[in-house]
Amino acid sequence: MAYSFKDIDKILSFKSWNTKQIISEMFKIDADLYCNLGSESTKSEKKEVKRKSKYIYKAINKIDPTIGKSLLFYMDQD
């Protein structure tokens, strides 16, 4: 099944998945968001993808603070 940004909270609640599976799916969703941006994407579309990406990183931070904090730190360096 293909998951989307709308499924982030549902994925976090999966008890049958281990941490690695959850983080992997989160990264797939994040990559999909950025892959759908193009050279003709507006500034607001890019900003929206970055906002969603930050939400994903905060979700990752809930299950693995080491990875989550690193992702959020480097995102804020921008």
Side-chain angles (χ1 to χ4, degrees), residues 34 37-51:
Y34 281 101
L37 285 177
S39 59
E40 296 178 5
S41 296
T42 65
K43 197 171 189 175
S44 63
E45 289 171 330
K46 292 176 184 177
K47 191 174 183 178
E48 180 67 13
V49 167
K50 189 171 181 177
R51 184 190 64 78

Side-chain angles (χ1 to χ4, degrees), residues 23-70:
I23 292 173
S24 179
E25 194 61 39
M26 298 281 187
F27 282 143
K28 287 179 188 176
I29 294 168
D30 192 45
D32 186 53
L33 290 172
Y34 281 101
C35 285
N36 289 324
L37 285 177
S39 59
E40 296 178 5
S41 296
T42 65
K43 197 171 189 175
S44 63
E45 289 171 330
K46 292 176 184 177
K47 191 174 183 178
E48 180 67 13
V49 167
K50 189 171 181 177
R51 184 190 64 78
K52 287 180 177 181
S53 188
K54 191 166 193 168
Y55 184 85
I56 291 170
Y57 296 166
K58 286 180 180 179
I60 291 171
N61 189 44
K62 290 178 184 176
I63 56 172
D64 190 334
T66 305
I67 294 172
K69 286 179 184 176
S70 295

